[in-house]
Amino acid sequence: MKSILQLISEELAPAFTACGYDPELAKASNSNRPDLCEYQCNGSMAAAKKYHKAPIMIAQDVVAQAANSPLFEKIEAVNPGFINITLKNDFVSWYLNQLAATGTLGASRYGEGKTVVLDYGGANVAKPLHVGHLRAAIIGESLKRLYRYTGHTVYGDVHMGDWGLQMGLIIEETRSRHPELCYFDPDYTGEYPAEAPFTISDLEEIYPAASKRSKEDEEFARAAHDATVALQQGNPGYRALFRHILAVSVKDLKKNYGNLDVSFDVWKGESDAQAFIPGMIQTLKDQGILHESQGAMVVDVDEPTDTKEVPPCIIQKSDGASLYATTDLATLVQREQDYHPDEVLYVVDKRQELHFTQVFRTARKAGIVRPETKLTFLGFGTMNGKDGKPFKTREGGVMRLEHLIADIDEAVFSRIMENRTVDEEQAREIAKTVGLAALKYGDLSNQATKNYVFDVDRFISFEGNTGPYILYTIVRIKSILRKYLETAEALPKEVAPAVDASEKVLQLLLSKAGETITDSCENIAPHRLCQYIYEVSDAFNSFYHEHIILGETDAARKDGWIALLELTRDILETCIDLLGFSAPDQM
Ligand code: ARG
C-alpha cells in the first residue's frame, strides 16, 4: 500500500507539471513544524535553482493549482518557499480503513521470494547462557519476526559454539572423576550408554572446575588439549561423550531461550561445519588465494581503500588446527548448499567486526557465496551496568541469564503487588510477561550498535519510554474494548474522521504503521519500531484523557472511536510481537 507521503507527492506532481515544473520535485515529507502543518513539500527550493525564480513564487503557483484537491484541508505557500499541508480528516480516516484491510497494517511484503539465514545465537555449549548472549537473542529474534512479516523466508540458526577446548576440558575432568567409564576404554567395542553420565547441573559445575584446573595444572591443560584434538579426529568414546554434552546442553538452552520467547529453526553448531572444511580449503587452493605465512595458511583480504589494517584471514594454524574463521567459512559453504540464501545476517557482538570483515572478504574472493548474496554483520554494543562497565553480578561475576530474568520478574512483581488489583498467583504470571517486555524493550529501544546501560528500575517503570508503559497502554485499550463488548455484539470496524486535534494526531501516527515496519526491517533497526510505538502510546493516552469514550452519547461517534481503539490495539500488539514480547489482559 502506498504511504500517505507517496499519495501527497502523487497529488502534487500534476500541479508541478501544470505550472511547468519538473514533477520529480513534488516530494512530500513529514512536517518539521507540527504546530503549523502536518506535511510539507520543499520542492520549490530546488525548483528555484533550476528555473531561476524565487521559491515563494513557485510555491504559490503550485498551491494555486492544488488548492482544490480532495486530500488537502489546507495548502499554503510560506516564506521562503515551503508548501505546508494539512490533510482532510475524511481522507485520513479513509486511509486508515484501507490500511486495516491490508492484513499487514500497510507494510510491504518486499521480501517475498527472498531467503535469509539469520545467525543470532552463538551460545557456547556446556557453559551457561550469560548476558553477553542476551543481546544477540533479543535483537535476532526481533529481526527474524520483522523479516518474516515483510515476506522473507528466514532460517534462524543458533550456531552454537560446540567445538572448542571446552569439550576437551569436560572430557578430561570427567575422566579424572570417573576413569572407569566405558568412554575412556580404548578397547571398548559395545554400544555406548544412551543415558549421559552427567546432568546439566553437573556440567555447570564441571566446566568451571576444569577451566580453573587447566590454568593451574599444566599436565591437565595438555591432556584437555589432546582430548580436544582426539575428539576432532573422531575418537569414538569422546564422540559419544560429546553427543551427551550436546544433548544435555541443548535441552537446557532450549528451556532458557524459551523463557525469553526466542526460538531457532536450525540447531546447528560449529561442529556441524567440520565436514565442510576440507572442501572449503580445496576451493581456496583452487582459486589460488591460499598461501603460507609464518607457517600458517592464510588468505590476504586487505583492500587499497582500507583506513585500518585488515590482517590476512588465517585458515589453518601451523599445527593444522582450524580456527574460528575456518568454521565460519565452512558454515557459509553449508548454508549455500542447504538454503541458497539471498542474505546471511549475523547478529554478534561488535567486537567481532574484524573477524567478519575477514570472513566476508575471503568468502567473496573464493566465490563461496554468489556475488549477489548479501553478507551483513550487525554488531551490537555492550550491555553495561550503571557504573558504565560491562554488566556484572553484585559480587562482580558474570551474570547468568536466568538470574537476571528472575531479578526483573521479582521487581515487576513487587511493583504489581503495590497496586494490589490482582491476587498473588496472577501477579506472578503477569510479572513474567511484563518483565520480559521490560527487558526486551530496554534493549531494543537503543540503537543496536550502541552500548547501553542496563537499569532495572528504569526499565520496569510504568511511565516513560519503557516496555511496561507500552503494555499499560494496550491493557487500557483492551479493558475499554471489553467493556464495550458487554453491551454490544461485535466491535465496529470503520474509523470515522477525527473530531479534534488529539484524535487527528493519533490517526496520523497510525497511518504510518506499515511504512515504519518496512523501514525498521530494511534498516535492521528495531529501535525505530520502539520509538514509533512509544509515540503512538503517548498520542493514544492524550486522546484518552481528553475524551469520555464509553460515555459518548453520539452512537456514530462512539463507534468510530471504538474502531480507532481497535486499530490502535492491533498496531501496538503487532509491533510488540515483532519486537518479541506480548501484553497481558490486565496489569
Ligand atoms: N559463539 C560465539 C561467541 O560466543 C558467537 C558466534 C557468532 N556466530 C558466528 N557465526 N560466528 O562469541
Side-chain angles (χ1 to χ4, degrees):
M1 145 182 238
K2 286 178 183 160
S3 67
I4 283 197
L5 281 174
Q6 277 169 305
L7 294 178
I8 298 174
S9 304
E10 286 177 11
E11 190 73 6
L12 289 175
F16 272 76
T17 310
C19 303
Y21 307 124
D22 182 354
E24 286 293 309
L25 297 167
K27 286 260 172 310
S29 55
N30 289 315
S31 162
N32 50 24
R33 286 293 302 274
D35 52 327
L36 295 181
C37 60
E38 295 161 354
Y39 291 92
Q40 63 191 57
C41 169
N42 304 339
S44 319
M45 312 303 270
K49 291 201 190 83
K50 200 165 166 184
Y51 301 102
H52 307 290
K53 205 167 167 184
I56 188 70
M57 290 174 68
I58 298 172
Q60 279 161 352
D61 288 351
V62 174
V63 163
Q65 273 296 324
N68 291 324
S69 155
L71 269 57
F72 307 144
E73 180 64 33
K74 197 161 107 188
I75 175 163
E76 55 182 354
V78 296
N79 274 321
F82 300 122
I83 299 173
N84 286 357
I85 295 166
T86 300
L87 295 176
K88 276 204 194 317
N89 292 0
D90 59 359
F91 166 66
V92 177
S93 58
W94 169 85
Y95 184 86
L96 285 184
N97 289 320
Q98 304 297 307
L99 177 144
T102 59
T104 60
L105 301 175
S108 151
R109 301 271 297 169
Y110 74 96
E112 240 145 45
K114 292 216 171 80
T115 299
V116 180
V117 174
L118 192 50
D119 183 317
Y120 61 103
N124 297 315
V125 160
K127 303 186 197 173
L129 271 184
H130 61 77
V131 296
H133 295 113
L134 182 67
R135 297 211 71 190
I138 292 180
I139 299 166
E141 177 70 23
S142 174
L143 292 176
K144 180 182 77 182
R145 295 178 186 207
L146 275 165
Y147 268 80
R148 290 213 169 120
Y149 198 81
T150 48
H152 300 83
T153 299
V154 186
Y155 295 96
D157 186 354
V158 67
H159 196 80
M160 292 174 289
D162 61 358
W163 202 237
L165 182 63
Q166 82 258 40
M167 295 302 169
L169 286 167
I170 293 168
I171 292 172
E172 273 318 302
E173 183 66 22
T174 307
R175 185 207 307 277
S176 68
R177 294 181 189 195
H178 303 287
E180 74 288 355
L181 289 175
C182 60
Y183 308 98
F184 307 113
D185 175 2
D187 301 325
Y188 186 76
T189 52
E191 288 263 325
Y192 289 105
E195 195 71 21
F198 33 62
T199 64
I200 186 68
S201 338
D202 296 336
L203 277 186
E204 286 175 358
E205 180 266 321
I206 292 173
Y207 172 71
S211 170
K212 184 158 174 272
R213 183 164 164 200
S214 73
K215 283 177 195 119
E216 295 153 359
D217 177 345
E218 228 171 87
E219 200 177 318
F220 179 78
R222 196 166 327 112
H225 174 264
D226 292 347
T228 311
V229 175
L231 165 70
Q232 300 187 344
Q233 287 169 349
N235 177 308
Y238 295 180
R239 278 277 180 176
L241 264 182
F242 167 75
R243 282 192 294 274
H244 285 314
I245 300 173
L246 204 59
V248 168
S249 299
V250 165
K251 191 164 161 240
D252 183 60
L253 280 174
K254 284 192 174 163
K255 187 189 85 196
N256 274 295
Y257 279 123
N259 286 337
L260 280 174
D261 234 333
V262 168
S263 67
F264 297 92
D265 311 293
V266 182
W267 278 82
K268 286 198 183 293
E270 294 178 355
S271 65
D272 294 288
Q274 303 312 308
F276 295 87
I277 290 178
M280 186 274 294
I281 291 182
Q282 192 56 49
T283 305
L284 300 182
K285 283 185 184 150
D286 294 346
Q287 298 289 326
I289 55 177
L290 191 66
H291 69 89
E292 209 212 282
S293 167
Q294 300 169 2
M297 296 307 282
V298 306
V299 174
D300 291 328
V301 288
D302 57 326
E303 287 173 5
T305 49
D306 288 339
T307 49
K308 266 188 266 165
E309 195 202 338
V310 182
C313 184
I314 309 177
I315 306 295
Q316 259 183 338
K317 288 202 278 192
S318 48
D319 63 359
S322 52
L323 295 97
Y324 191 33
T326 325
T327 307
D328 267 325
L329 283 163
T331 303
L332 274 173
V333 174
Q334 171 258 317
R335 287 174 177 166
E336 181 61 30
Q337 175 191 297
D338 289 354
Y339 313 114
H340 210 56
D342 297 282
E343 178 175 11
V344 186
L345 168 56
Y346 298 81
V347 184
V348 185
D349 192 311
K350 72 178 171 195
R351 285 169 290 192
Q352 296 192 20
E353 177 159 20
L354 179 61
H355 163 76
F356 283 98
T357 302
Q358 293 171 313
V359 168
F360 291 177
R361 287 184 183 181
T362 306
R364 293 231 177 271
K365 261 188 135 166
I368 289 173
V369 294
R370 289 164 293 136
E372 63 274 22
T373 308
K374 242 171 106 178
L375 296 173
T376 314
F377 171 66
L378 176 60
F380 53 79
T382 313
M383 180 174 129
N384 289 329
K386 282 191 193 167
D387 58 359
K389 298 202 189 100
F391 192 81
K392 292 272 161 67
T393 59
R394 256 176 243 124
E395 293 74 35
V398 176
M399 181 66 136
R400 288 180 47 169
L401 195 55
E402 43 196 307
H403 297 158
L404 180 91
I405 296 176
D407 284 358
I408 292 189
D409 288 359
E410 195 54 43
V412 176
F413 174 73
S414 328
R415 179 65 55 95
I416 295 172
M417 288 310 278
E418 280 167 22
N419 301 332
R420 285 232 167 249
T421 50
V422 291
D423 64 42
E424 199 173 319
E425 201 184 320
Q426 268 179 312
R428 286 267 170 229
E429 266 313 297
I430 297 172
K432 264 198 209 156
T433 309
V434 179
L436 192 61
L439 178 67
K440 288 194 168 184
Y441 191 91
D443 188 305
L444 292 169
S445 53
N446 302 284
Q447 196 177 328
T449 50
K450 298 210 167 115
N451 300 345
Y452 76 98
V453 173
F454 183 81
D455 180 348
V456 179
D457 296 327
R458 192 171 76 71
F459 288 3
I460 68 161
S461 168
F462 284 25
E463 281 143 42
N465 190 5
T466 70
Y469 171 66
I470 310 289
L471 298 195
Y472 193 75
T473 307
I474 296 173
V475 165
R476 170 174 273 167
I477 299 175
K478 284 194 194 175
S479 137
I480 302 172
L481 296 177
R482 259 199 313 270
K483 284 206 190 95
Y484 178 89
L485 282 172
E486 282 169 12
T487 56
E489 295 266 292
L491 295 173
K493 289 277 169 233
E494 286 282 306
V495 174
V499 299
D500 58 18
S502 71
E503 186 178 2
K504 182 84 177 279
V505 168
L506 177 59
Q507 290 202 7
L508 284 172
L509 262 173
L510 296 185
S511 77
K512 298 188 165 91
E515 58 195 87
T516 307
I517 293 171
T518 311
D519 168 80
S520 304
C521 188
E522 277 177 330
N523 292 288
I524 45 174
H527 71 281
R528 297 194 189 175
L529 203 56
C530 291
Q531 182 59 30
Y532 173 69
I533 58 174
Y534 177 48
E535 286 169 22
V536 169
S537 297
D538 264 353
F540 171 76
N541 287 312
S542 303
F543 168 75
Y544 170 82
H545 287 298
E546 286 181 24
H547 300 86
I548 298 170
I549 298 164
L550 289 170
E552 173 59 45
T553 48
D554 179 335
R557 184 175 270 206
K558 177 160 140 186
D559 282 0
W561 284 345
I562 294 293
L564 181 64
L565 259 61
E566 168 64 3
L567 182 60
T568 309
R569 184 205 57 76
D570 191 15
I571 288 174
L572 288 176
E573 283 208 303
T574 302
C575 290
I576 65 170
D577 183 59
L578 292 173
L579 293 169
F581 54 92
S582 59
D585 287 325
Q586 50 176 327
M587 64 192 268

